[in-house]
PDB file of all heavy atoms in Angstrom:
ATOM      1  N   ASN A 291     -52.633 -18.961 -91.825  1.00 97.00           N
ATOM      2  CA  ASN A 291     -52.318 -18.304 -93.106  1.00 97.00           C
ATOM      3  C   ASN A 291     -51.113 -17.368 -93.025  1.00 97.00           C
ATOM      4  O   ASN A 291     -50.790 -16.687 -94.000  1.00 97.00           O
ATOM      5  CB  ASN A 291     -53.539 -17.526 -93.600  1.00 97.00           C
ATOM      6  CG  ASN A 291     -54.705 -18.455 -93.896  1.00 97.00           C
ATOM      7  OD1 ASN A 291     -54.581 -19.344 -94.742  1.00 97.00           O
ATOM      8  ND2 ASN A 291     -55.798 -18.302 -93.167  1.00 97.00           N
ATOM      9  N   GLY A 292     -50.481 -17.337 -91.865  1.00 97.00           N
ATOM     10  CA  GLY A 292     -49.269 -16.526 -91.739  1.00 97.00           C
ATOM     11  C   GLY A 292     -49.524 -15.036 -91.844  1.00 97.00           C
ATOM     12  O   GLY A 292     -48.685 -14.291 -92.351  1.00 97.00           O
ATOM     13  N   ILE A 293     -50.682 -14.594 -91.369  1.00 98.00           N
ATOM     14  CA  ILE A 293     -51.002 -13.161 -91.432  1.00 98.00           C
ATOM     15  C   ILE A 293     -51.151 -12.626 -90.010  1.00 98.00           C
ATOM     16  O   ILE A 293     -52.142 -12.917 -89.336  1.00 98.00           O
ATOM     17  CB  ILE A 293     -52.302 -12.903 -92.221  1.00 98.00           C
ATOM     18  CG1 ILE A 293     -52.191 -13.520 -93.628  1.00 98.00           C
ATOM     19  CG2 ILE A 293     -52.588 -11.401 -92.311  1.00 98.00           C
ATOM     20  CD1 ILE A 293     -53.476 -13.438 -94.420  1.00 98.00           C
ATOM     21  N   HIS A 294     -50.172 -11.870 -89.565  1.00 98.00           N
ATOM     22  CA  HIS A 294     -50.315 -11.308 -88.223  1.00 98.00           C
ATOM     23  C   HIS A 294     -51.330 -10.181 -88.201  1.00 98.00           C
ATOM     24  O   HIS A 294     -52.162 -10.098 -87.315  1.00 98.00           O
ATOM     25  CB  HIS A 294     -48.972 -10.831 -87.652  1.00 98.00           C
ATOM     26  CG  HIS A 294     -49.166 -10.288 -86.279  1.00 98.00           C
ATOM     27  ND1 HIS A 294     -49.318  -8.948 -86.020  1.00 98.00           N
ATOM     28  CD2 HIS A 294     -49.311 -10.914 -85.091  1.00 98.00           C
ATOM     29  CE1 HIS A 294     -49.541  -8.781 -84.716  1.00 98.00           C
ATOM     30  NE2 HIS A 294     -49.540  -9.953 -84.142  1.00 98.00           N
ATOM     31  N   ALA A 295     -51.234  -9.261 -89.160  1.00 98.00           N
ATOM     32  CA  ALA A 295     -52.209  -8.167 -89.224  1.00 98.00           C
ATOM     33  C   ALA A 295     -52.540  -7.895 -90.679  1.00 98.00           C
ATOM     34  O   ALA A 295     -51.749  -8.175 -91.588  1.00 98.00           O
ATOM     35  CB  ALA A 295     -51.667  -6.917 -88.551  1.00 98.00           C
ATOM     36  N   ASP A 296     -53.720  -7.329 -90.895  1.00 98.00           N
ATOM     37  CA  ASP A 296     -54.219  -7.062 -92.239  1.00 98.00           C
ATOM     38  C   ASP A 296     -53.727  -5.682 -92.691  1.00 98.00           C
ATOM     39  O   ASP A 296     -54.150  -4.662 -92.139  1.00 98.00           O
ATOM     40  CB  ASP A 296     -55.749  -7.092 -92.206  1.00 98.00           C
ATOM     41  CG  ASP A 296     -56.363  -6.798 -93.570  1.00 98.00           C
ATOM     42  OD1 ASP A 296     -55.616  -6.441 -94.510  1.00 98.00           O
ATOM     43  OD2 ASP A 296     -57.597  -6.917 -93.684  1.00 98.00           O
ATOM     44  N   PRO A 297     -52.829  -5.642 -93.686  1.00 98.00           N
ATOM     45  CA  PRO A 297     -52.249  -4.351 -94.089  1.00 98.00           C
ATOM     46  C   PRO A 297     -53.296  -3.343 -94.542  1.00 98.00           C
ATOM     47  O   PRO A 297     -53.079  -2.135 -94.413  1.00 98.00           O
ATOM     48  CB  PRO A 297     -51.331  -4.721 -95.262  1.00 98.00           C
ATOM     49  CG  PRO A 297     -51.082  -6.172 -95.139  1.00 98.00           C
ATOM     50  CD  PRO A 297     -52.285  -6.761 -94.482  1.00 98.00           C
ATOM     51  N   ALA A 298     -54.441  -3.808 -95.033  1.00 97.00           N
ATOM     52  CA  ALA A 298     -55.472  -2.867 -95.498  1.00 97.00           C
ATOM     53  C   ALA A 298     -56.094  -2.109 -94.339  1.00 97.00           C
ATOM     54  O   ALA A 298     -56.771  -1.105 -94.548  1.00 97.00           O
ATOM     55  CB  ALA A 298     -56.555  -3.635 -96.264  1.00 97.00           C
ATOM     56  N   LYS A 299     -55.856  -2.571 -93.124  1.00 98.00           N
ATOM     57  CA  LYS A 299     -56.490  -1.955 -91.960  1.00 98.00           C
ATOM     58  C   LYS A 299     -55.506  -1.228 -91.055  1.00 98.00           C
ATOM     59  O   LYS A 299     -55.804  -0.932 -89.902  1.00 98.00           O
ATOM     60  CB  LYS A 299     -57.283  -3.013 -91.193  1.00 98.00           C
ATOM     61  CG  LYS A 299     -58.453  -3.517 -92.014  1.00 98.00           C
ATOM     62  CD  LYS A 299     -59.325  -4.512 -91.308  1.00 98.00           C
ATOM     63  CE  LYS A 299     -60.546  -4.820 -92.197  1.00 98.00           C
ATOM     64  NZ  LYS A 299     -61.365  -5.892 -91.645  1.00 98.00           N
ATOM     65  N   VAL A 300     -54.314  -0.996 -91.580  1.00 98.00           N
ATOM     66  CA  VAL A 300     -53.317  -0.203 -90.845  1.00 98.00           C
ATOM     67  C   VAL A 300     -52.975   1.001 -91.722  1.00 98.00           C
ATOM     68  O   VAL A 300     -52.652   0.835 -92.906  1.00 98.00           O
ATOM     69  CB  VAL A 300     -52.048  -1.025 -90.539  1.00 98.00           C
ATOM     70  CG1 VAL A 300     -51.080  -0.207 -89.703  1.00 98.00           C
ATOM     71  CG2 VAL A 300     -52.411  -2.318 -89.826  1.00 98.00           C
ATOM     72  N   HIS A 301     -53.058   2.195 -91.160  1.00 98.00           N
ATOM     73  CA  HIS A 301     -52.976   3.413 -91.974  1.00 98.00           C
ATOM     74  C   HIS A 301     -51.869   4.353 -91.516  1.00 98.00           C
ATOM     75  O   HIS A 301     -51.683   4.568 -90.311  1.00 98.00           O
ATOM     76  CB  HIS A 301     -54.315   4.163 -91.907  1.00 98.00           C
ATOM     77  CG  HIS A 301     -55.491   3.285 -92.188  1.00 98.00           C
ATOM     78  ND1 HIS A 301     -55.784   2.835 -93.463  1.00 98.00           N
ATOM     79  CD2 HIS A 301     -56.413   2.709 -91.364  1.00 98.00           C
ATOM     80  CE1 HIS A 301     -56.864   2.049 -93.407  1.00 98.00           C
ATOM     81  NE2 HIS A 301     -57.258   1.958 -92.142  1.00 98.00           N
ATOM     82  N   LYS A 302     -51.166   4.911 -92.482  1.00 98.00           N
ATOM     83  CA  LYS A 302     -50.294   6.048 -92.175  1.00 98.00           C
ATOM     84  C   LYS A 302     -51.176   7.226 -91.795  1.00 98.00           C
ATOM     85  O   LYS A 302     -52.327   7.313 -92.246  1.00 98.00           O
ATOM     86  CB  LYS A 302     -49.420   6.390 -93.381  1.00 98.00           C
ATOM     87  CG  LYS A 302     -48.390   5.298 -93.690  1.00 98.00           C
ATOM     88  CD  LYS A 302     -47.376   5.723 -94.743  1.00 98.00           C
ATOM     89  CE  LYS A 302     -46.316   4.636 -94.904  1.00 98.00           C
ATOM     90  NZ  LYS A 302     -45.310   4.971 -95.911  1.00 98.00           N
ATOM     91  N   ILE A 303     -50.654   8.124 -90.963  1.00 97.00           N
ATOM     92  CA  ILE A 303     -51.503   9.253 -90.574  1.00 97.00           C
ATOM     93  C   ILE A 303     -51.202  10.509 -91.398  1.00 97.00           C
ATOM     94  O   ILE A 303     -52.023  11.392 -91.517  1.00 97.00           O
ATOM     95  CB  ILE A 303     -51.391   9.561 -89.071  1.00 97.00           C
ATOM     96  CG1 ILE A 303     -50.002  10.080 -88.687  1.00 97.00           C
ATOM     97  CG2 ILE A 303     -51.785   8.341 -88.240  1.00 97.00           C
ATOM     98  CD1 ILE A 303     -49.960  10.730 -87.317  1.00 97.00           C
ATOM     99  N   ASN A 304     -49.987  10.595 -91.968  1.00 97.00           N
ATOM    100  CA  ASN A 304     -49.615  11.728 -92.832  1.00 97.00           C
ATOM    101  C   ASN A 304     -50.014  13.081 -92.251  1.00 97.00           C
ATOM    102  O   ASN A 304     -50.609  13.921 -92.937  1.00 97.00           O
ATOM    103  CB  ASN A 304     -50.235  11.538 -94.229  1.00 97.00           C
ATOM    104  CG  ASN A 304     -49.585  10.405 -94.977  1.00 97.00           C
ATOM    105  OD1 ASN A 304     -48.355  10.316 -95.017  1.00 97.00           O
ATOM    106  ND2 ASN A 304     -50.376   9.498 -95.529  1.00 97.00           N
TER     107      ASN A 304
END
Side-chain angles (χ1 to χ4, degrees):
Chain A
N291 296 300
I293 304 174
H294 181 263
D296 179 353
K299 294 183 174 174
V300 184
H301 310 287
K302 292 189 175 180
I303 67 165
N304 290 313

